[in-house]
Amino acid sequence: MKVRGKLGGSESVVDVLIADGIIQAIAPADWSQPLAPEDLGDQTLHLAPGFVDLQINGYGGVDFNDPATTTEQIAATVRALWRTGMTAMCPTVITGSPAHINQCFANLLRAADEFPEVNHALAGLHLEGPFISPEDGPRGAHPKQHVQAPDWNQFQHWQDAARGQIRIVTLSPEWPEANRFIERAAAAGVIVAIGHTAATPGQIADAVSAGARMSTHLGNGSHAKIDRHPNYIWEQLANDGLWASFIVDGHHLPPSVVKCFLRSKGIARSVLVTDAIAAAGCPPGQYKLGDVAVEVLPSGRVNLPGTPYLAGSALEMHDAIGKTVAYSDATLAEALQMASENPATLLGVTEQHGTLTVGRPANLTLFRWEQPTLSIVATINGGKLVYRHTAY
Ligand SMILES: [Zn+2]
């Protein structure tokens, strides 16, 4: 099959030739050859690599953090995410009891065993917690009773149960045990991310020296009020050893902060994540987040009902890209890069995900761009058309 569209954020129209699940060629559009019925696209649409989300807790009513979630539900979630342009993800399990975390990871791995589409989408697992700050504010919505100091043996137990698939662990370096843990995790090839932290600037710097490589949803999971400087946000922004992920949904970070954060961290080290919860992809209304009632407002904001407090994110990646262009001076091409190539590069999975490259798997999405609205038209996963908008 052939897919025609503007390459990434550029104006150059190309034909992407796909066979056997692989991109066979990318060439300037050949207008002498009409598109066949099985072909897709046109010169008004854009093409990009399928999006890669390093942090997603659930979607479409399915919660990866619910031990009762079935493998069928997880597979349905992967299929539902195709309509947001996403083709790879790191399902994220947050702070819980050891048995709870084990069960949630086991469910995801079993889903990957049973459903090829889940196996294809799984770019690693993300353990967010439980080695985070116990303080109110930085801890966010993570349950306090299960927050604990970094414990390598405990992590190894989870990693063994997860068959070595935990690729990211988000922790706080404020614990005295943190640096030894970070050294071991880094040596084992696990990406250590700093998040939900009350660490001092010195502890942040030491964590990076020990091997920490990323900041998780920088600017969120923090105190409501902190010293203007120094503080853990400036320290992470300024440290060129750290990549950073951002939740650009218009609720977690004000537009001016998105603009400043992206400029100072730089496009090359920035990653867009959804941090979506089960209520993402659902209409406005009342939902449950674990045992907690949450409300999705018509604006897409997820609140604790009747309060102004955020209870999670209902962000979809295509929307994060549009908002990033609207709020910052990032171009469409740069916003796409932060949603595909950058996370794939950080994870080390560019052979499979995050780029449009001849000889590599055809994971791509076709979309209409009416700034700032990015509408997914079709998604191709492993060379197969898996989603096509009904109006297209
Ligand atoms: Zn978080």
Side-chain angles (χ1 to χ4, degrees):
M1 82 187 294
K2 191 193 284 184
V3 188
R4 180 169 291 174
K6 299 177 192 177
L7 191 58
S10 80
E11 289 299 310
S12 54
V13 181
V14 299
D15 288 340
V16 178
L17 253 106
I18 299 166
D20 304 323
I22 302 293
I23 296 175
Q24 306 290 340
I26 302 174
D30 182 355
W31 303 103
S32 67
Q33 299 224 358
L35 292 175
E38 72 270 22
D39 294 339
L40 280 172
D42 63 43
Q43 69 277 12
T44 70
L45 300 175
H46 291 255
L47 282 166
F51 308 139
V52 180
D53 193 349
L54 298 185
Q55 189 170 6
I56 177 164
N57 309 284
Y59 184 78
V62 176
D63 183 2
F64 301 149
N65 285 276
D66 180 351
T69 292
T70 66
T71 54
E72 286 79 8
Q73 287 175 314
I74 293 167
T77 303
V78 167
R79 294 192 289 268
L81 283 164
W82 289 332
R83 67 175 184 248
T84 73
M86 198 192 298
T87 57
M89 61 173 176
C90 292
T92 303
V93 173
I94 72 162
T95 301
S97 73
H100 174 101
I101 290 172
N102 249 354
Q103 185 61 47
C104 295
F105 281 146
N107 292 342
L108 288 156
L109 290 171
R110 218 150 34 80
D113 288 342
E114 293 173 14
F115 295 91
E117 62 269 42
V118 178
N119 191 47
H120 184 274
L122 196 68
L125 298 165
H126 184 162
L127 174 60
E128 189 191 22
F131 314 133
I132 57 168
S133 175
E135 285 187 34
D136 289 347
R139 184 167 43 79
H142 290 235
K144 188 170 188 171
Q145 71 268 32
H146 296 303
V147 171
Q148 62 168 99
D151 178 338
W152 182 248
N153 288 335
Q154 176 61 68
F155 179 78
Q156 282 289 90
H157 177 69
W158 287 320
Q159 185 66 298
D160 289 346
R163 299 180 222 156
Q165 290 286 312
I166 302 173
R167 296 298 325 286
I168 306 174
V169 57
T170 292
L171 55 70
S172 170
E174 70 201 68
W175 297 94
E177 299 86 346
N179 286 343
R180 184 77 188 105
F181 180 98
I182 294 169
E183 284 167 5
R184 289 169 135 168
V190 176
I191 296 164
V192 176
I194 297 170
H196 291 278
T197 188
T200 64
Q203 287 169 330
I204 300 283
D206 288 347
V208 178
S209 299
R213 295 180 61 199
M214 178 180 165
S215 302
T216 285
H217 53 52
L218 189 56
N220 296 112
S222 63
H223 298 91
K225 291 194 166 76
I226 52 176
D227 289 340
R228 70 196 190 288
H229 50 69
N231 63 50
Y232 47 73
I233 294 178
W234 285 118
E235 192 68 24
Q236 290 181 78
L237 271 179
N239 196 313
D240 292 340
L242 290 172
W243 295 56
S245 69
F246 301 106
I247 308 169
V248 185
D249 64 350
H251 308 294
H252 280 74
L253 298 171
S256 60
V257 172
V258 172
K259 181 174 179 176
C260 294
F261 277 7
L262 288 177
R263 274 193 191 173
S264 56
K265 184 49 69 176
I267 300 298
R269 282 187 290 265
S270 296
V271 172
L272 303 183
V273 293
T274 65
D275 198 12
I277 62 168
C282 299
Q286 302 268 349
Y287 297 93
K288 289 281 238 184
L289 172 60
D291 295 333
V292 181
V294 302
E295 180 175 24
V296 178
L297 304 178
S299 65
R301 188 182 171 96
V302 185
N303 277 1
L304 294 170
T307 78
Y309 301 116
L310 279 170
S313 153
L315 183 61
E316 297 175 319
M317 193 60 95
H318 64 96
D319 197 27
I321 294 165
K323 286 192 161 73
T324 297
V325 174
Y327 298 166
S328 72
D329 40 19
T331 63
L332 174 60
E334 289 170 334
L336 291 167
Q337 179 192 333
M338 291 188 276
S340 54
E341 187 174 355
N342 285 2
T345 300
L346 179 60
L347 275 180
V349 297
T350 49
E351 291 291 323
Q352 296 295 320
H353 301 289
T355 74
L356 292 181
T357 305
V358 173
R360 289 187 182 165
N363 302 313
L364 55 119
T365 191
L366 188 64
F367 62 88
R368 190 175 301 286
W369 175 239
E370 290 159 326
Q371 190 169 338
T373 304
L374 192 160
S375 318
I376 302 295
V377 166
T379 300
I380 291 164
N381 190 52
K384 293 195 182 71
L385 176 64
V386 292
Y387 169 73
R388 187 173 189 157
H389 193 276
T390 48
Y392 172 65

PDB file of all heavy atoms in Angstrom, residues 55 128 142 196 216-217 275, ligand 1:
ATOM      1  N   GLN A  55       4.119   7.522  29.453  1.00  0.00           N
ATOM      2  CA  GLN A  55       3.397   7.532  30.729  1.00  0.00           C
ATOM      3  C   GLN A  55       1.896   7.537  30.489  1.00  0.00           C
ATOM      4  O   GLN A  55       1.308   8.562  30.146  1.00  0.00           O
ATOM      5  CB  GLN A  55       3.811   8.755  31.556  1.00  0.00           C
ATOM      6  CG  GLN A  55       3.263   8.704  32.965  1.00  0.00           C
ATOM      7  CD  GLN A  55       3.855   9.763  33.865  1.00  0.00           C
ATOM      8  OE1 GLN A  55       4.611  10.625  33.416  1.00  0.00           O
ATOM      9  NE2 GLN A  55       3.526   9.714  35.136  1.00  0.00           N
ATOM     10  N   GLU A 128       5.914   4.119  38.385  1.00  0.00           N
ATOM     11  CA  GLU A 128       5.936   5.478  38.952  1.00  0.00           C
ATOM     12  C   GLU A 128       5.665   5.359  40.447  1.00  0.00           C
ATOM     13  O   GLU A 128       4.529   5.191  40.866  1.00  0.00           O
ATOM     14  CB  GLU A 128       4.897   6.364  38.264  1.00  0.00           C
ATOM     15  CG  GLU A 128       5.046   7.819  38.682  1.00  0.00           C
ATOM     16  CD  GLU A 128       3.891   8.681  38.236  1.00  0.00           C
ATOM     17  OE1 GLU A 128       2.803   8.147  37.972  1.00  0.00           O
ATOM     18  OE2 GLU A 128       4.077   9.913  38.173  1.00  0.00           O
ATOM     19  N   HIS A 142      -0.721   9.714  44.860  1.00  0.00           N
ATOM     20  CA  HIS A 142      -0.200   8.381  45.228  1.00  0.00           C
ATOM     21  C   HIS A 142      -0.547   8.078  46.690  1.00  0.00           C
ATOM     22  O   HIS A 142      -0.373   8.946  47.550  1.00  0.00           O
ATOM     23  CB  HIS A 142       1.324   8.319  45.043  1.00  0.00           C
ATOM     24  CG  HIS A 142       1.747   8.343  43.602  1.00  0.00           C
ATOM     25  ND1 HIS A 142       2.557   7.381  43.057  1.00  0.00           N
ATOM     26  CD2 HIS A 142       1.469   9.201  42.598  1.00  0.00           C
ATOM     27  CE1 HIS A 142       2.773   7.643  41.775  1.00  0.00           C
ATOM     28  NE2 HIS A 142       2.116   8.758  41.477  1.00  0.00           N
ATOM     29  N   HIS A 196       7.697  13.448  41.495  1.00  0.00           N
ATOM     30  CA  HIS A 196       7.023  13.437  42.801  1.00  0.00           C
ATOM     31  C   HIS A 196       8.060  13.626  43.899  1.00  0.00           C
ATOM     32  O   HIS A 196       8.167  12.825  44.817  1.00  0.00           O
ATOM     33  CB  HIS A 196       6.231  12.142  42.983  1.00  0.00           C
ATOM     34  CG  HIS A 196       5.043  12.060  42.068  1.00  0.00           C
ATOM     35  ND1 HIS A 196       3.846  12.681  42.356  1.00  0.00           N
ATOM     36  CD2 HIS A 196       4.878  11.468  40.862  1.00  0.00           C
ATOM     37  CE1 HIS A 196       2.979  12.455  41.367  1.00  0.00           C
ATOM     38  NE2 HIS A 196       3.592  11.732  40.435  1.00  0.00           N
ATOM     39  N   THR A 216      10.154  13.371  35.391  1.00  0.00           N
ATOM     40  CA  THR A 216       8.792  12.954  35.063  1.00  0.00           C
ATOM     41  C   THR A 216       7.816  14.107  35.286  1.00  0.00           C
ATOM     42  O   THR A 216       7.840  14.740  36.338  1.00  0.00           O
ATOM     43  CB  THR A 216       8.405  11.728  35.925  1.00  0.00           C
ATOM     44  OG1 THR A 216       9.068  10.571  35.399  1.00  0.00           O
ATOM     45  CG2 THR A 216       6.918  11.474  35.909  1.00  0.00           C
ATOM     46  N   HIS A 217       6.978  14.354  34.306  1.00  0.00           N
ATOM     47  CA  HIS A 217       6.004  15.468  34.280  1.00  0.00           C
ATOM     48  C   HIS A 217       6.485  16.664  35.101  1.00  0.00           C
ATOM     49  O   HIS A 217       5.867  17.074  36.070  1.00  0.00           O
ATOM     50  CB  HIS A 217       4.578  15.029  34.625  1.00  0.00           C
ATOM     51  CG  HIS A 217       4.371  14.273  35.909  1.00  0.00           C
ATOM     52  ND1 HIS A 217       4.828  14.721  37.121  1.00  0.00           N
ATOM     53  CD2 HIS A 217       3.715  13.116  36.159  1.00  0.00           C
ATOM     54  CE1 HIS A 217       4.459  13.875  38.069  1.00  0.00           C
ATOM     55  NE2 HIS A 217       3.793  12.886  37.504  1.00  0.00           N
ATOM     56  N   ASP A 275       0.006  11.002  30.490  1.00  0.00           N
ATOM     57  CA  ASP A 275      -0.290  10.641  31.886  1.00  0.00           C
ATOM     58  C   ASP A 275      -1.793  10.401  32.049  1.00  0.00           C
ATOM     59  O   ASP A 275      -2.377  10.693  33.091  1.00  0.00           O
ATOM     60  CB  ASP A 275       0.207  11.723  32.850  1.00  0.00           C
ATOM     61  CG  ASP A 275       0.337  11.222  34.283  1.00  0.00           C
ATOM     62  OD1 ASP A 275       0.257   9.991  34.494  1.00  0.00           O
ATOM     63  OD2 ASP A 275       0.488  12.052  35.194  1.00  0.00           O
TER      64      ASP A 275
HETATM   65 ZN    ZN B   1       2.754  11.372  38.499  1.00  0.00          ZN
END
